Amino acid sequence: MILFPAIDLKDGQCVRLKLGDMDQATVFNDDPGAQAKTFEDQGFEWLHVVDLNGAFAGESVNGAAVEAILSARKNPVQLGGGIRTLDHIEAWLNKGITRVILGTVAVRDPELVKEACKKFPGKVAVGIDAKGGYVAVEGWAETSELTAIDLAKKFEDAGVSAIIYTDIDRDGVLKGLNIPSTLELANAVSIPVIASGGLASIDDVKRLLEPDCAILEGAISGRALYDGRLDPAEAMDLIRQARKAAS
């Protein structure tokens, strides 16, 4: 189980949104590079970064902040938000991003996702953000008629490296992860699934380490880390113990 700390970028700052609303943003750090280094020093092995402005604009907006993050850390970084073309993907991979996350384009142009998977094997993840069970796009501003499972199944044999599944109704409000829906998705496809949205405390980490969640690749934590509800040392220690017991 990998615990991915999240850096969500809005206007060059590290923020957390409430229910995906750009008008309900709390700024936690105005130095994204320093925040990335802090997470690395706390023992996290990956970093999850989202360009929130880019998700609405359909192109990179917080590029300078992302580059500052890349310069400040050694850990692998997965990046989403506004990545809509093969050129966008290639440019970020060339700059050092380990894995790009495709969200809106996965709904609008699934063939592009499949082409990207062939061209950049192991480097493409799909972000599935669901509201009321249906996939939301354009920075969560629009809801499609697709369910999360419907969308995931389109990429079953495409070579997608992971699906990041976010329950928008829980994102940023510390309600706890939606484990039943996440497991339903994970059991419906062979693609590894990462849980996102609502991770609130060490209890969520403990739940993720239970046997039925072994199918998941990991989970993303944002607000709980920033406001101190989740202690990084305690979380990472639990994960290390679980890995040791499983080996």
Side-chain angles (χ1 to χ4, degrees):
M1 211 279 288
I2 300 168
L3 189 60
F4 298 77
I7 294 181
D8 287 358
L9 297 168
K10 179 177 183 280
D11 305 333
Q13 299 174 308
C14 304
V15 306
R16 296 304 296 168
L17 303 185
K18 187 175 181 181
L19 302 173
D21 185 348
M22 288 286 270
D23 293 327
Q24 296 191 69
T26 304
V27 178
F28 283 101
N29 197 328
D30 59 9
D31 186 339
Q35 185 62 59
K37 186 68 168 63
T38 295
F39 283 142
E40 187 165 270
D41 290 345
Q42 289 171 338
F44 293 104
E45 301 152 320
W46 268 82
L47 190 59
H48 174 81
V49 180
V50 178
D51 181 345
L52 294 172
N53 302 101
F56 285 91
E59 60 185 11
S60 175
V61 175
N62 287 286
V66 176
E67 290 184 34
I69 289 168
L70 289 171
S71 297
R73 93 312 149 239
K74 297 174 184 173
N75 284 350
V77 177
Q78 61 184 24
L79 172 68
I83 303 173
R84 308 278 170 89
T85 69
L86 291 173
D87 286 343
H88 284 165
I89 296 167
E90 187 166 20
W92 278 121
L93 294 177
N94 287 340
K95 287 181 179 179
I97 291 295
T98 305
R99 180 160 70 185
V100 297
I101 304 164
L102 305 180
T104 294
V105 74
V107 176
R108 303 275 195 243
D109 190 358
E111 291 306 312
L112 185 143
V113 177
K114 294 174 184 178
E115 188 179 350
C117 289
K118 288 178 184 174
K119 190 171 182 181
F120 311 107
K123 300 288 187 180
V124 177
V126 168
I128 298 181
D129 307 325
K131 189 173 182 63
Y134 290 89
V135 177
V137 295
E138 305 293 348
W140 300 353
E142 300 175 23
T143 305
S144 74
E145 296 180 357
L146 277 175
T147 68
I149 291 175
D150 289 339
L151 181 57
K153 284 186 173 179
K154 289 188 177 188
F155 305 110
E156 182 68 288
D157 299 312
V160 171
S161 62
I163 289 172
I164 293 95
Y165 174 71
T166 303
D167 183 337
I168 298 170
D169 295 317
R170 292 175 182 243
D171 192 68
V173 293
L174 301 164
K175 284 185 177 179
L177 291 164
N178 187 341
I179 295 293
S181 292
T182 306
L183 288 179
E184 183 183 11
L185 175 62
N187 283 302
V189 294
S190 60
I191 306 164
V193 173
I194 298 168
S196 174
L199 196 151
S201 70
I202 198 67
D203 288 336
D204 282 305
V205 177
K206 290 175 181 175
R207 178 68 185 89
L208 288 162
L209 294 172
E210 290 180 12
D212 62 338
C213 287
I215 192 173
L216 302 178
E217 179 173 301
I220 292 164
S221 178
R223 187 176 289 270
L225 285 171
Y226 286 100
D227 69 9
R229 291 171 189 256
L230 180 63
D231 177 52
E234 184 181 6
M236 294 309 295
D237 188 51
L238 271 179
I239 291 167
R240 279 191 292 269
Q241 288 178 29
R243 286 178 184 169
K244 191 174 181 180
S247 64

